[in-house]
Amino acid sequence: MSHHYSGPDFGFPHGDARLDLTDLYAFSKPGEADKSILIMNVHPSAVVNPLGPTTREPFAPEALYELKIDTNGDAVADIAYRVRFSSSAEGSQTATVRRVEGAQAAETGDSGQVIFEAAPVSMGRDARVTEAGRYRFFAGWRSDPFFFDTRGALNDLQFTGDDFFIDKDVCSIVLELPNSALGPKRVGLWARTLDGAGGVWIQADRGALPAQAVFLVGSERDSYHAGEPADDARFIGVFAHALEHTGGYSPEEARRVAGSLLPDVLSYDPTCPPSFPSNGRTLTEDAADVFLAVLTNGKVIGDKVGPHIDLLSEFPYLGPPHNG
């Protein structure tokens, strides 16, 4: 999962920005505690190196975008929401959202119960929202809520407070759903993108917690992106090595901390107040600072950047795109 740190600078999954998973958020709906908001952001609008824009088509029609939910703590999906997009026609796209549960949720495919069909994708500043029963859905370009001094991170963590994302956009999939559709109380969440361009579904990116891929290079990074949370223990040694090198952890402490970062799943209990990383993630929580403190063993505790001020108080909560 690139979370903006690795994707724009080190290449997009399968060379396609539309498959790049940037952030996952989960929080209780303001004013309606019996509902939750899940946000899966993909496709950053800009590349860091060399600096420039990505494609304007929001979502890949040959791809599958999934929200995965583990209801029993084994890091295996028990519920999944699958989103497919139509091909762009005259500058527009539509989305179909399906829900699947049980053993099929852990498998790969685009089957499932249809929740939304032909829902319009927002290509401009106006948020086109679709409702079905107790569900609400949005997909399209929005202002990127992620805030981080990316150039400082790439300059040996020498931060100046320059927020690379202050004027950038991202493609968002926002799902409002009743808590009863999540499972019993605390669940584990992650998201993934799958590439079906070759006729077979191949997982391109996945994750839940910010910047995990910074620990990985080369074939290890590719293996991580293609893997499943239930198998993440195999990466503890790799994570620990990076923590020893960057944070000066002892080998034993590095393995303990690495184990706390894996599996790459976001824990979420809608009955408790949100607080990253222990319970969900809101749009204003500084997940990057949390990660920096872990990565450097407390030597760097922030990048001097704060939340964006263009967020909305109502669905879909993300501000309008800058380049709509």
Side-chain angles (χ1 to χ4, degrees), residues 54-293:
T54 59
T55 178
R56 285 302 300 169
E57 182 179 49
F59 304 97
E62 64 275 10
L64 182 65
Y65 299 81
E66 276 196 309
L67 289 162
K68 307 281 255 185
I69 303 169
D70 164 32
T71 63
N72 58 12
D74 63 358
V76 175
D78 302 292
I79 300 170
Y81 289 91
R82 296 167 169 168
V83 188
R84 287 290 308 272
F85 293 91
S86 67
S87 298
S88 293
E90 299 180 356
S92 65
Q93 279 187 306
T94 62
T96 297
V97 184
R98 293 179 169 87
R99 184 182 192 273
V100 62
E101 57 183 308
Q104 285 186 318
E107 298 171 354
T108 298
D110 59 355
S111 62
Q113 175 190 357
V114 175
I115 306 296
F116 296 95
E117 188 168 16
V121 171
S122 294
M123 309 294 283
R125 291 180 59 85
D126 293 336
R128 305 181 69 182
V129 177
T130 307
E131 298 187 27
R134 300 196 69 202
Y135 287 90
R136 189 178 292 185
F137 175 77
F138 168 88
W141 285 106
R142 299 310 278 171
S143 172
D144 195 338
F146 188 68
F147 49 99
F148 188 52
D149 180 0
T150 299
R151 294 185 181 91
L154 298 172
N155 185 30
D156 197 27
L157 303 184
Q158 301 300 307
F159 295 111
T160 64
D162 176 20
D163 184 359
F164 177 79
F165 303 98
I166 193 66
D167 59 353
K168 302 300 187 297
D169 296 328
V170 75
C171 290
S172 301
I173 296 171
V174 187
L175 183 65
E176 176 185 305
L177 71 170
N179 293 337
S180 58
L182 283 172
K185 292 191 176 180
R186 186 166 295 277
V187 297
L189 305 171
W190 68 99
R192 69 174 183 168
T193 62
L194 297 101
D195 185 359
V200 178
W201 291 118
I202 299 175
Q203 184 169 295
D205 202 359
R206 59 98 178 185
L209 305 176
Q212 300 284 73
V214 73
F215 291 114
L216 308 160
V217 295
S219 60
E220 290 173 342
R221 184 168 175 264
D222 292 339
S223 178
Y224 183 81
H225 284 162
E228 297 287 343
D231 301 321
D232 277 352
R234 62 189 169 128
F235 296 104
I236 287 179
V238 179
F239 276 43
H241 177 75
L243 289 166
E244 286 183 58
H245 175 74
T246 305
Y249 289 91
S250 68
E252 180 179 347
E253 183 69 359
R255 289 191 66 87
R256 184 194 68 79
V257 175
S260 72
L261 297 172
L262 298 168
D264 189 358
V265 172
L266 180 65
S267 180
Y268 176 58
D269 182 347
T271 67
C272 298
S275 179
F276 182 84
S278 60
N279 190 43
R281 179 185 175 190
T282 66
L283 295 167
T284 58
E285 288 184 287
D286 203 332
D289 281 3
V290 172
F291 176 77
L292 285 171

Side-chain angles (χ1 to χ4, degrees), residues 8-9 45-54 151 164 167-168:
D9 196 57
S45 64
V47 183
V48 176
N49 186 21
L51 185 63
T54 59
R151 294 185 181 91
F164 177 79
D167 59 353
K168 302 300 187 297

